[in-house]
Amino acid sequence: MTKIRILLVDDHDIVRLGLMTLLNDRSDMEVIGEASTSAEAISATEKFSPDVVLMDIRLPGEGGIEATRQITHRFPQSKVVMLTSFADDELVMRAINAGAVGYVLKQVGNEELIRAIQAAARG
């Protein structure tokens, strides 16, 4: 079975650690890289070519939406799922317009997040 290769992008170390623990525990997923800024996210996407980028919306630098726009334009094979604590209709629309294929709140359960990643990887 081919694993879904995931890049974690969040400016909080503890969030990335928790996500990495959750996702690497699964036989069908593998965290292949991490980033804490929008510039690091773009660079890591180029370096690792992930299937899915799990992107925080609020990041130092240009922010998660602009990083998503650049990633989906430059690396269309990598699908971006926004993972955020902001349930804001305007942010949802901006993220989708930037190319995100999903928008998940950090308050969701583990299984909902897993399903969103799997759906993104399937296209």
Side-chain angles (χ1 to χ4, degrees):
M1 171 194 329
T2 303
K3 291 186 177 192
I4 300 170
R5 303 171 71 245
I6 303 165
L7 172 65
L8 299 178
V9 183
D10 196 290
D11 58 332
H12 295 98
D13 292 341
I14 193 75
V15 172
R16 291 194 317 271
L17 177 61
L19 289 168
M20 184 178 301
T21 301
L22 169 70
L23 300 174
N24 279 341
D25 242 10
R26 297 189 49 88
S27 62
D28 63 337
M29 296 184 181
E30 175 185 19
V31 175
I32 57 167
E34 299 178 59
S36 61
T37 68
S38 54
E40 287 176 6
I42 295 162
S43 176
T45 301
E46 182 174 27
K47 179 178 179 181
F48 297 116
S49 215
D51 300 311
V52 176
V53 178
L54 203 54
M55 175 82 68
D56 189 11
I57 222 164
R58 304 268 191 220
L59 292 173
E62 296 180 320
I65 291 175
E66 182 55 33
T68 296
R69 185 179 327 283
Q70 291 185 40
I71 287 169
T72 58
H73 177 73
R74 293 178 55 194
F75 314 104
Q77 76 284 358
S78 295
K79 306 303 180 198
V80 178
V81 174
M82 304 305 289
L83 181 63
T84 182
S85 55
F86 299 98
D88 179 302
D89 290 344
E90 181 186 339
L91 288 176
V92 171
M93 291 310 299
R94 288 179 54 211
I96 290 173
N97 288 336
V101 298
Y103 193 99
V104 179
L105 295 177
K106 288 181 178 176
Q107 297 86 342
V108 301
N110 294 351
E111 288 307 310
E112 289 175 77
L113 176 60
I114 297 298
R115 283 194 298 273
I117 292 169
Q118 290 169 330
R122 287 191 304 266

